[in-house]
Amino acid sequence: DLSVGDKEEYQPTSSYSEGNNNEEQEQRGEYQDSVTYETNLQIGRLAMDSARDATAAVKAHELLRRLENPETVTYNGVLKALAKSNLPGSALQAQELLDEMEDLYESQKHQQNLWYQRQGRSSSSDTTNSDDDVDDANLPRITVKPNVRTYSTVMDAWSHGKDRESAERAESLLYRLEDLYEQTGDESTRPNDISDSGPV
């Protein structure tokens, strides 16, 4: 069973709008659905077992693919399973999942911005229209957004490689994270001690 700390780590996130999230995007509130919740917990268990169970990372990835509404924490759980596994190509799979997350985030952000434009608002911080004029219940949600844990976990996956290319990929991700934080000022992507120690 998961410990209290592990349950918190893999607690599902509620859907959230841009600019209203913390480091792990784990706002407490209404869950997307019970299937997402249970799947996040299953992936969390598999991530903890992946170092000793060669099939755990594969199972976690399969659970992600079956999920209709994956969240940041769902992806991060699979990334953790891949990083802890000894499967060949696991670092590359983790990198591909990160790329997928970035694409999903940009797509969801674009859809949200289009919605705001249709409402006569430029963003979530634009209060030109009163709440009575805007039905936020129909707001497209951003549910997948890479954060510092995402990048750090993929760096960890690359750092297990013994070849020069793996080390370079890990280092490149660190620079990418630092640039992202400098450009956006988004606290969820602020490099920390874990990310700084990723490339070895």
Side-chain angles (χ1 to χ4, degrees):
D1 293 338
L2 292 176
S3 66
V4 174
D6 292 321
K7 286 182 179 179
E8 288 180 353
E9 180 175 356
Y10 293 100
Q11 190 85 342
T13 67
S14 61
S15 299
Y16 55 88
S17 59
E18 178 67 7
N20 191 26
N21 52 358
N22 61 20
E23 177 180 333
E24 187 53 25
Q25 326 306 341
E26 291 180 348
Q27 295 182 351
R28 306 309 183 200
E30 294 298 323
Y31 301 132
Q32 282 197 47
D33 54 65
S34 60
V35 174
T36 303
Y37 172 73
E38 293 298 333
T39 302
N40 285 345
L41 292 180
Q42 291 179 54
I43 290 175
R45 296 187 186 98
L46 290 168
M48 290 188 297
D49 292 339
S50 61
R52 58 179 178 271
D53 182 356
T55 66
V58 175
K59 292 176 181 176
H61 194 272
E62 289 175 349
L63 285 173
L64 169 66
R65 292 306 180 212
R66 295 174 191 167
L67 198 57
E68 184 177 352
N69 299 307
E71 305 169 316
T72 300
V73 70
T74 315
Y75 276 92
N76 282 358
V78 178
L79 290 174
K80 182 176 181 179
L82 288 168
K84 292 176 63 178
S85 74
N86 295 316
L87 293 175
S90 58
L92 182 58
Q93 290 183 53
Q95 180 67 56
E96 291 173 347
L97 280 183
L98 170 57
D99 295 341
E100 180 179 309
M101 290 179 72
E102 291 179 331
D103 290 341
L104 274 173
Y105 170 59
E106 290 301 324
S107 175
Q108 291 180 347
K109 185 170 65 172
H110 177 67
Q111 291 302 316
Q112 191 177 89
N113 288 338
L114 288 177
W115 184 90
Y116 280 122
Q117 290 173 14
R118 288 194 294 268
Q119 301 298 322
R121 292 162 59 180
S122 60
S123 68
S124 59
S125 60
D126 184 350
T127 57
T128 302
N129 291 341
S130 67
D131 291 339
D132 294 336
D133 298 327
V134 178
D135 182 11
D136 283 350
N138 295 319
L139 171 68
R141 304 294 178 178
I142 296 175
T143 59
V144 175
K145 179 182 178 182
N147 54 34
V148 65
R149 180 172 292 179
T150 310
Y151 288 95
S152 298
T153 305
V154 180
M155 280 188 271
D156 184 42
W158 280 118
S159 70
H160 296 323
K162 305 301 182 183
D163 58 290
R164 183 180 183 84
E165 180 183 357
S166 295
E168 290 175 348
R169 295 289 289 267
E171 186 176 22
S172 176
L173 268 184
L174 176 58
Y175 294 148
R176 183 163 150 190
L177 177 62
E178 291 174 341
D179 288 343
L180 180 62
Y181 177 68
E182 284 186 14
Q183 293 170 10
T184 65
D186 188 338
E187 288 299 316
S188 73
T189 60
R190 178 196 286 271
N192 55 26
D193 291 341
I194 297 176
S195 59
D196 288 342
S197 63
V200 292

